[in-house]
Amino acid sequence: MLDLRLLRAEPERARTELLRRGGADALDRVLELDRNAREMRTHVEAVRAERGRISKEIGQLKRDGRDADAVQAQARALGDELVADEDALRELEAARDDVLLGLPNFADADAPGGGEDDAVTVRVVGTRPDFDFPAKDHLEIGLMLGGIETEQAAKISGARFAYLMGPLVRLQIALVSFAVDLLEERGFTPVVPPVLVREEAMFGTGFFPTDRASIYALADDDLYLVGTSEVPLAGLGYDRILEAGELPLRYAGISTCFRREAGAAGRDTRGIFRVHQFDKVEMFTFTDAEQSSAEHLRILGVQEEILGSLGLHYRVQDIAIGDLGASAARKFDCEAWMPGQDRFREVTSCSNCTDYQARRLNCRIRTDQGPRFVHTLNGTAVAVGRTLIAILETHQRADGSVAVPEALRRYGAPAELAPR
RNA sequence: GGAGGGGUGGCAGAGCGGUCGAAUGCGGCGGUCUCGAAAACCGUUUCGGGCUUUAGGGUCCGACGGGGGUUCAAAUCCCCCCUCCUCCGCCA
């Protein structure tokens, strides 16, 4: 959520910022609703003050044992007047907040302009795998290894679900252990969070109202399945005042993620690239305004360290403004080369949400000048499914076997995966 | 799932229709004393919002888990929800 005071004080700057993000029409609606709401609030508070004054008078009269009927009638009349005005006030403020909640974060000044296709490649790392045999894709390899089963999954869960089996489970476990170890060394506290959350957590992280369609809901229980542990990790700061000295707070969430993938019909239907359920290790940091840009690069650095350790060829993309999520001011994606698709595909993503998410979460720190909103950042450490795809496709051999990166062997993975 | 008891300031804890944004203690901050420190003593110490301001502030409204109700007036009475604790049942 954007700072309403800032929108009032610098509407032209806000307009410029929102135009960068695609449109400023909603700004005018917010400002107008806000003017009306404030006018009504001033009125309501004046009436409340008057009624409060009279009520005290009644108390005094009664204590003195004197008659208060006349004054009491007057107070009652004021109260009746208030009811209608308070309703109107509530409606105005709710309408204003609805629109306000839908406004995206201001983009970072350095974020590239444009949309989905306008990401800027920051760097390309490693060398493209070169095979002297036709490269197989991950599903083909996974089937040969006995590691992926989608047909039965489709029967019992539907499309975009898969069983991960045998050697790929070993690989997942090693991958997660490797990531958690590294993250703990980098100051991230491992967390296994709740994956069912209330609506408040979804609003607090900015997934609601904008991305509601991509979230699974448990209608009978008013709970939602998280699409990323970013949601419950951000929840650690929900409605809380932290001490400035304890920042930065870094967490590494390990969880299953659930996504409806609405709107992705027909895309990436093969294998486990885009599924409704996958496991992920996620970084999340609470920090302050001064350090958030540096923290963003730090998170990106960890991501690259992991991809590098896995021997993957990847590039870092600076995501264009039009392709940022509502909460993000800036976002970098790491895309790994996937020989089976003959192109780079997203395997990690990291966003600096500045104070946008914190304002919604109401997560602040105490400072000499009073409470201030923190800055929040999140980034993928390991999205298991997609990382497995990159590993299988990158390290495949002609006979269908796969060489396992040294980094994972140290965490119990076999040196190579052999076709059955 | 059943029965009972709680949720009040950073923490502990009183208040149970008006003079209560809230006693008291602890902690924090500032000061006195001291070579310095401790102790003691004095002072201070929630958050959000509206209006206003020669920018220091001033003034008013709201908040005692959340929401609704009763009342001229609610931390205090009633209803719903959330949550914590104890006991019983069930369970990985």
Side-chain angles (χ1 to χ4, degrees), chain A residues 15 87 91-92 140 179 252 267 273 306 339 343 345 362 367:
Chain A
R15 188 177 318 280
D87 280 351
E91 274 171 38
L92 282 168
E140 224 176 317
R267 285 169 56 198
F273 183 83
I306 290 172
R343 56 172 171 152
R345 298 302 309 265
N362 193 27
T367 72

Side-chain angles (χ1 to χ4, degrees), chain A residues 156-400:
Chain A
I156 64 138
S157 300
R160 295 195 190 283
F161 282 95
Y163 288 92
L164 209 60
M165 300 171 74
L168 294 194
V169 172
R170 288 287 163 204
L171 221 46
Q172 155 154 354
I173 290 170
L175 209 42
V176 170
S177 299
F178 163 59
V180 170
D181 245 26
L182 181 72
L183 291 177
E184 208 164 8
E185 272 173 37
R186 298 289 181 274
F188 292 82
T189 303
V191 179
V192 175
V195 294
L196 285 172
V197 301
R198 296 212 176 114
E199 192 180 50
E200 289 90 323
M202 287 297 179
F203 275 105
T205 40
F207 287 90
F208 284 6
T210 320
D211 299 317
R212 193 165 199 132
S214 62
I215 303 292
Y216 281 107
L218 275 66
D220 288 348
D221 298 282
D222 288 324
L223 288 170
Y224 301 86
L225 280 159
V226 301
T228 162
S229 55
E230 172 191 346
V231 174
L233 292 179
L236 285 168
Y238 183 74
D239 205 16
R240 225 177 134 182
I241 297 184
L242 305 164
E243 296 305 327
E246 56 185 330
L247 296 182
L249 285 172
R250 298 190 176 99
Y251 297 104
I254 305 152
S255 85
T256 303
C257 305
F258 304 90
R259 300 187 179 181
R260 293 187 62 228
E261 296 298 344
R267 285 169 56 198
D268 305 315
T269 49
R270 190 172 159 81
I272 61 169
F273 183 83
R274 187 182 298 280
V275 283
H276 291 306
Q277 177 195 324
F278 61 96
D279 294 314
K280 181 157 68 81
V281 181
E282 175 84 359
M283 296 175 267
F284 192 93
T285 303
F286 296 93
T287 186
D288 59 33
E290 287 65 40
Q291 294 174 61
S292 69
S293 292
E295 182 69 13
H296 198 190
L297 295 178
R298 182 188 165 95
I299 289 173
L300 178 59
V302 175
Q303 295 177 322
E304 294 196 57
E305 199 176 346
I306 290 172
L307 296 175
S309 298
L310 298 175
L312 299 176
H313 172 48
Y314 67 90
R315 65 179 186 185
V316 178
Q317 300 288 92
D318 194 348
I319 299 304
I321 291 171
D323 202 23
L324 294 173
S327 297
R330 194 161 195 203
K331 176 159 93 165
F332 296 107
D333 283 0
C334 292
E335 298 181 340
W337 182 258
M338 299 197 176
Q341 295 188 35
D342 204 34
R343 56 172 171 152
F344 286 105
R345 298 302 309 265
E346 179 184 340
V347 285
T348 71
S349 175
C350 62
S351 299
N352 182 355
C353 296
T354 63
D355 61 357
Y356 184 91
Q357 201 171 51
R359 189 170 288 111
R360 289 174 169 231
L361 289 167
N362 193 27
C363 177
R364 296 170 295 171
I365 43 165
R366 224 178 277 288
T367 72
D368 294 341
Q369 300 88 40
R372 287 280 177 284
F373 290 107
V374 300
H375 278 204
T376 61
L377 302 100
N378 63 82
T380 318
V382 173
V384 171
R386 291 193 179 182
T387 307
L388 286 180
I389 293 173
I391 292 172
L392 295 182
E393 295 188 0
T394 299
H395 299 302
Q396 64 178 303
R397 297 181 188 130
D399 63 358

